[in-house]
Amino acid sequence: MRNDIHPNYREVVFWDLSSDDKFITRSTIETSENITWEDGTVYPVYKVEVSSKSHPFYTGKNVLVDTAGRVDKFRKRYGTKETTEA
């Protein structure tokens, strides 16, 4: 293999800012900040806005979409085609 062509693959802390949840995983993402983990080890940290701890799909707090309103809006905008029965 050629040298110096592979990204730096290391352990990184991902910090969900909306739920204040932190987890460690391996990644090649480049960061400029560091954080001291609970065991005293210093890891690079990457801040994210949404993770599985805060996303509505994973937390069960889904918002129901008003599909009937979408259909009415579509019909109002483009009209409806009248059907004739033979």
Side-chain angles (χ1 to χ4, degrees):
M1 289 194 312
R2 292 176 27 200
N3 293 332
D4 300 326
I5 63 168
H6 301 287
N8 185 15
Y9 187 61
R10 66 202 190 286
E11 290 184 330
V12 177
V13 174
F14 284 84
W15 184 357
D16 182 358
L17 298 176
S18 58
S19 68
D20 202 36
D21 183 53
K22 299 177 187 99
F23 57 93
I24 296 176
T25 188
R26 296 187 60 84
S27 177
T28 60
I29 195 161
E30 293 297 325
T31 64
S32 60
E33 299 179 50
N34 293 324
I35 191 170
T36 304
W37 193 247
E38 298 150 355
D39 63 357
T41 308
V42 177
Y43 293 104
V45 64
Y46 187 76
K47 297 176 181 175
V48 295
E49 295 179 11
V50 177
S51 73
S52 61
K53 293 288 185 178
S54 63
H55 193 278
F57 180 79
Y58 296 105
T59 59
K61 298 178 183 175
N62 284 342
V63 178
L64 296 175
V65 177
D66 181 20
T67 56
R70 289 183 178 188
V71 171
D72 291 337
K73 186 176 177 182
F74 177 83
R75 286 184 179 157
K76 183 177 178 182
R77 181 180 292 169
Y78 298 106
T80 57
K81 185 175 182 180
E82 297 294 325
T83 58
T84 58
E85 294 183 24

